Amino acid sequence: MQQGYFDTAWSDVSGSPGWVGKLLLLTLVSLIPVFGWIVVLGYLFGWAREIAWGVRAPLPARIFGNVDGLLYSRGASVLVILFLFSLAPFLLSCLYEGVSDVGGSVAERFLNLVPVAHVATPMITLAASLIAVMFALVGSMRASIYGRLASGLQINRIWTMIRYDMNGLLRIAGMAALLSLAAVGVVLVLMIVIEGLGLLVAWIVSGGGAHVWPRGFGMALFAAFCVIASLCLCSALVSAMMVFATTIVVRALGHWTAQFDVAHWRGQDDPLPFEEAQSSRI
């Protein structure tokens, strides 16, 4: 079983020549609606596919290189898989809200009679989200290896892989959650600081807050500029941190998949090598 997924993935990324520039370029590409993330995911899962096959190489030199001709189809497949699996917890939440709205007093009475339901509901949603993330990660990796969308939607085959090493996959899912939370925290702090400094400067420029023309108008205009600038900067920072987090998580996922002896995989419906080994021992 592979250990230290974060350390290994980080070593692979930081050991790649010009990795900072590549991540910045990926960030710029990710700002393009939909198409940008198709390219980013196609690029990163292509790199993860290599390590799953046992081929250790640095980050590909060209983002749009498309050496295997599957950059865009791979990225689109992964994007579709991530979207489809993310629907499960969303629909579960909507179902609960719908029952609450339709049931009205019945739902309220139930929650009052069973107080633990107030806690159980968000916990169930959180658990469903975690399960969806694991299925989405493994499904995306399978689609990248087989080169077809259908391979990433085989629930039974995905579950077989998850069950074999759920602890390792949970570490990767936890890593993804922590990196996402860290990104949100940094962005919120930065936004507060930038807007606070902008308002302070505007207050000073306006002569201590004198709300008279033209100072009052100038203060409002400058404050609006600071808000817009901070939003743009934070959007760029969010994209950069999302790209970094995705790079680490996807590379770690490639290492996790390598334990399944990908070089000896056959068709998408065939048993994996470890299943065949287990069958031969019975």
Side-chain angles (χ1 to χ4, degrees):
M1 182 186 301
Q2 176 72 34
Q3 300 293 331
Y5 289 115
F6 179 85
D7 293 337
T8 305
W10 169 242
S11 297
D12 290 347
V13 174
S14 60
S16 299
W19 66 274
V20 175
K22 290 173 184 174
L23 292 188
L24 289 176
L25 184 55
L26 283 173
T27 299
L28 292 176
V29 173
S30 72
L31 295 175
I32 305 173
V34 183
F35 175 77
W37 274 102
I38 287 177
V39 173
V40 171
L41 293 173
Y43 175 87
L44 293 179
F45 271 92
W47 190 43
R49 180 178 181 274
E50 290 182 356
I51 196 63
W53 274 90
V55 179
R56 183 175 292 274
L59 280 164
R62 298 174 57 197
I63 292 176
F64 293 93
N66 198 15
V67 177
D68 60 358
L70 299 175
L71 174 69
Y72 305 109
S73 61
R74 179 170 52 240
S77 295
V78 171
L79 197 62
V80 170
I81 290 170
L82 294 177
F83 172 74
L84 290 178
F85 280 110
S86 68
L87 286 178
F90 173 74
L91 293 177
L92 181 64
S93 177
C94 290
L95 178 62
Y96 170 76
E97 294 295 335
V99 170
S100 298
D101 292 339
V102 174
S105 60
V106 176
E108 291 177 5
R109 290 175 186 174
F110 173 74
L111 292 174
N112 291 331
L113 291 173
V114 189
V116 72
H118 287 286
V119 179
T121 300
M123 290 183 64
I124 292 174
T125 302
L126 179 61
S129 299
L130 181 59
I131 293 172
V133 167
M134 291 193 294
F135 271 84
L137 289 174
V138 179
S140 298
M141 201 68 238
R142 284 180 57 85
S144 299
I145 291 172
Y146 283 109
R148 58 184 66 176
L149 174 62
S151 302
L153 299 175
Q154 294 177 296
I155 303 298
N156 60 329
R157 307 307 302 151
I158 294 173
W159 172 240
T160 299
M161 295 176 66
I162 293 175
R163 189 174 53 186
Y164 181 78
D165 183 18
M166 186 177 292
N167 290 335
L169 192 60
L170 281 173
R171 291 202 300 272
I172 296 176
M175 178 201 311
L178 288 176
L179 289 174
S180 299
L181 289 175
V184 172
V186 169
V187 169
L188 288 176
V189 171
L190 182 62
M191 181 178 292
I192 292 173
V193 170
I194 292 176
E195 292 186 6
L197 290 175
L199 292 173
L200 177 61
V201 172
W203 184 79
I204 295 173
V205 170
S206 67
H211 294 277
V212 295
W213 183 273
R215 289 182 176 179
F217 175 77
M219 177 181 176
L221 190 62
F222 190 78
F225 170 79
C226 290
V227 171
I228 295 174
S230 65
L231 289 175
C232 293
L233 180 60
C234 288
S235 296
L237 183 60
V238 166
S239 297
M241 298 191 73
M242 285 181 62
V243 166
F244 174 77
T246 304
T247 302
I248 297 295
V249 170
V250 172
R251 184 61 173 179
L253 182 63
H255 281 286
W256 180 84
T257 308
Q259 69 181 306
F260 293 98
D261 193 12
V262 177
H264 291 92
W265 283 18
R266 293 182 294 169
Q268 64 179 22
D269 299 313
D270 294 323
L272 296 177
F274 81 89
E275 294 178 282
E276 295 178 335
Q278 290 174 349
S279 299
S280 63
R281 290 196 296 265
I282 297 177

